Each structure stands twice: as structure tokens, then as C-alpha cells.
């Protein structure tokens, strides 16, 4: 490689790394914006154990950045929280929508308000300024599982900071192994009530579909929702582990045919493949079972060690972003290109800053948000709480994509590139 090319390669890598540095937010341990002497009382009672709080999900709306803390262990006072966009780098978390509604005591056997989210992983903010959360309703998931409330879908009005809808998920669509890891929302018409929520059930390899207008939920099963046994081995942060996690994340991409339907792109965590289904099938509660089995398309293969917990779509650039667990980074794929390993480059990677990238989101202003949390250490070994463990990074998607294989190229640039190739 020529010296000039080496310099350009270094500058490109430096630019993309520095474009996300320093982290927007970072913490050694998670603390909360306590009221009065509640912190001391919570520590004394075991309602708050700082070392047991691990953030897992992220979403931005206006001046707030929402951060979820699943109840993997005991001592988590609030699962759905937010920080202020322009606040300090290590600011405490605020329970949402308020302390009284967000707080759950270790002694709780039920919730005292419908607005309480007991344990959520990833959340979704739609274009109607609503926050959607799917609550598993459980505490101490990694030890002695305790069911505090029924699994439910909650919708908040972000402008008013109030719950506008709560739907308890029917037992008939759940299984003993159910783990509801994320939610993505499809607004099917001009009315915000015409919404469908798609909820991956990672634990029992299924997809739940919820119609807001019909107030009804149904379960869809397909063999592509299961994990690939060849892709269940991980090594992240020096920790070896095995996961048999099925479908865990999904994203909607509009159909180019103008049919009024979108495609739901999805993947199991322990897999290297991407799949898709038309929402025309998913929205129909009575669609024949054989249509569901034949309706899944294999989009392509990302390549070796490309297991991903989360995925999101940038409409402006027509690009999908993936977390890359085994590579401590993020990759991209231009939807206009075939999905092959060559077209899914690793565009950001850092073994410290991005150790275990758990969630990824593109906000309504086309900024990419990444949350890393060292989850493998948290669950299987031990954390060093004298170090920074949890980070939130952000940058405009155009900045991150610049110079990569996923960068949007104009028609003029494409023609000029073709001419240059012919001249060589």
C-alpha cells in the first residue's frame, strides 16, 4: 500500500472514532436523581444497589435521552428513565414519568399505578411523539425470577408525560420461556391510532403483533425466528459465553412499491443472517399459517462473528446500522446493495469504549445513538466499578458514514467515479 493511502486510511479511522468521542454520557455506576433522603433509605432497604444497575436500551426525544435498566438483579429502583440531552456527562437518571410511578420496591408484589414499567429492555419512540415500552413485569431475572405484574404494552404521551394506554398481553400468546426484548411500531395510516407494534419474543422464538385500534395481540411463529447453533459462541470483554437467543430485534423499512405496506427486517441474536417479512402478512390476524412460513425471505449473510443485539434504520441514507458484539463495534449496510460480508463493513470499533454495544438507535434528526454496557462482565464475571462501564455515544449518521461503503453517493459522483475508472 502506498504511503498516501496509509495516511488516508489512518485519517479515516481517526475521524470516525473521534466523531463519536468523547462519549455523550458515561458512568462508573448508575445513580438516580433522588428526592430528599430517599437514596439513603433505598440503600438501607436494598431497593437500590448501585452495582446491580446496568443500562440496556436507549432512545432520544427532543431534550431527553431515555435509558432503560432491565431488572436482571435486585436493587433496581426504576426501569424506565431519562437524562437531559444537554446535561452533564455523568448526570443521574430520572425515573419516567415520575418517581412515584417509576419506582418499584424490592418488597413489591404488584404495581401501584398503571404507569409503572417494571422491567423493559428496548423502547421505541414513534412520529406521533409517543414512547412505547413492552414490560416483562419481572424482577431479579438472573437469579430468583419474581413476577410482579403481567407482561404489558405501555404507551406514553411524551408531550404531556402521561400514560395514554396500557394493554396486558394475553397469556395465550406467551410461553414460560418468553422474554420480550424490544418493540417497533408501524403507523399504517394517517391516524396515529392505526398503529401496529411488533414485539420479538427472544426466549420462545416468536413475534407478537399488537393492533392498537383493535386492542388485540397475536403470536407468529417461524423457524427463522430461532437461533443458529453455529453462531451461539461469544467472547466479549475477555468473557466466553454461549447464547441460544432467538429473534431479538427488528426494524421497519418502507416498500419501494408504494403498496402502503413495509417490510419488517429482523434477526436472531445468535445468527449472522438477516430476514424480512411483509407487514401485509403480519397485520392480518387470520393469515393462513402456511403463508407465514413461506412469507419470510432470507436477505443475506453479514459474515463471521457478526452476532448483533440491535439494529436500526436511517431513512435519509437508506442504511441499516447493527451492533457487533464480538467485534466491539458497529457495522452498516446500504439497503441498495446485496447483503454480503463485503457490504457490511465494521465502521466503528473500540475494545474499551464499545465493549458490548447493546442498543443502537437513529433518532428523528438522523443522529446515531449507541449504548455500550459490558453486559458479559455484568452477568458472568464481575465489574470494576472504579472504571467507566456504561457509555452513550452519538454523532450524525452522515458523519459516521462518510468514507465508508455505506455512504450515500449522488448520481453525479457515481458518473464521475465511472469516468475515472474508465480512464485508468
Amino acid at each position: 500500500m502506498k504511503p498516501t493511502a496509509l495516511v488516508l486510511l489512518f485519517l479515516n479511522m481517526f475521524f470516525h472514532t473521534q466523531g463519536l468521542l468523547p462519549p455523550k454520557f458515561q458512568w462508573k455506576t448508575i445513580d438516580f436523581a433522588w428526592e430528599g433522603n430517599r437514596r439513603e433509605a433505598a440503600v438501607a432497604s436494598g431497593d437500590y444497589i448501585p452495582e446491580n444497575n446496568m443500562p440496556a436500551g436507549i432512545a432520544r426525544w427532543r431534550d431527553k435521552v431515555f435509558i432503560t435498566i432491565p431488572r436482571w438483579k435486585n436493587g433496581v429502583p426504576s426501569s424506565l428513565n431519562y437524562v437531559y440531552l444537554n446535561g452533564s456527562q455523568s448526570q443521574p437518571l430520572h425515573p419516567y414519568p415520575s418517581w412515584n410511578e417509576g419506582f418499584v420496591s424490592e418488597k413489591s408484589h404488584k404495581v401501584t399505578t398503571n404507569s409503572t414499567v417494571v422491567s423493559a429492555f428496548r423502547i421505541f419512540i414513534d412520529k406521533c411523539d409517543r414512547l412505547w415500552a413492552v414490560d416483562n413485569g419481572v424482577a431479579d431475572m438472573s437469579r430468583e425470577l419474581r413476577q410482579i405484574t403481567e407482561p404489558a404494552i405501555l404507551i406514553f404521551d411524551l408531550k404531556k408525560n402521561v400514560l395514554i394506554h396500557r394493554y396486558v398481553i394475553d397469556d395465550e400468546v406467551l410461553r414460560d420461556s418468553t422474554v420480550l426484548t424490544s418493540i417497533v411500531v408501524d403507523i399504517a395510516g394517517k391516524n396515529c391510532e392505526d398503529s401496529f407494534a411488533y414485539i420479538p419474543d427472544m426466549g420462545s422464538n416468536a413475534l407478537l403483533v399488537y393492533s392498537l385500534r383493535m386492542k388485540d395481540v397475536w403470536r407468529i411463529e417461524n423457524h427463522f425466528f430461532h437461533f443458529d447453533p453455529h453462531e451461539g459462541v461469544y467472547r466479549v470483554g475477555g468473557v466466553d459465553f454461549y447464547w441460544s437467543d432467538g429473534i431479538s430485534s427488528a426494524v421497519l423499512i418502507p416498500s419501494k412499491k408504494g403498496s402502503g405496506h413495509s417490510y419488517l427486517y429482523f434477526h436472531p441474536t445468535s445468527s449472522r443472517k438477516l430476514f424480512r417479512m411483509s407487514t401485509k402478512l403480519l397485520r392480518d390476524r387470520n393469515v393462513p399459517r402456511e403463508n407465514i412460513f413461506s412469507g419470510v425471505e432470507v436477505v443475506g449473510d453479514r459474515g463471521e462473528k457478526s452476532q448483533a443485539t440491535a439494529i436500526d434504520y436511517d431513512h435519509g441514507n437508506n442504511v441499516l446500522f447493527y451492533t457487533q458484539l464480538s467485534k466491539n463495534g458497529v457495522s452498516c449496510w446500504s439497503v441498495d446493495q446485496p447483503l454480503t460480508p463485503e457490504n457490511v463493513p465494521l465502521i466503528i470499533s473500540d475494545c474499551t469504549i464499545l465493549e458490548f454495544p447493546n442498543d443502537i438507535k437513529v433518532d428523528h434528526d438522523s443522529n446515531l445513538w449507541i449504548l455500550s454496557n459490558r453486559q458479559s462482565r455484568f452477568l458472568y464475571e464481575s465489574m470494576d466499578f472504579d472504571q467507566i462501564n456504561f457509555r452513550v455515544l452519538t454523532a450524525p449518521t452522515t458523519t459516521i458514514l462518510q468514507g465508508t461503503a455505506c455512504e450515500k453517493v449522488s448520481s453525479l459522483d457515481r458518473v464521475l467515479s465511472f469516468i475515472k475508472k474508465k480512464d485508468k
Side-chain angles (χ1 to χ4, degrees), residues 222 224-225 266 275-277 281 291-298:
N222 189 288
F224 288 120
F225 296 165
F266 65 89
F275 309 94
R276 74 175 189 177
M277 292 183 71
L281 288 173
N291 289 11
I292 292 294
F293 272 86
S294 62
V296 175
E297 302 175 51
V298 180

Side-chain angles (χ1 to χ4, degrees), residues 7-21:
V7 171
L8 288 174
L9 177 62
F10 171 78
L11 288 175
N12 185 55
M13 291 174 65
F14 177 83
F15 175 77
H16 284 301
T17 303
Q18 294 300 310
L20 285 173
L21 297 177

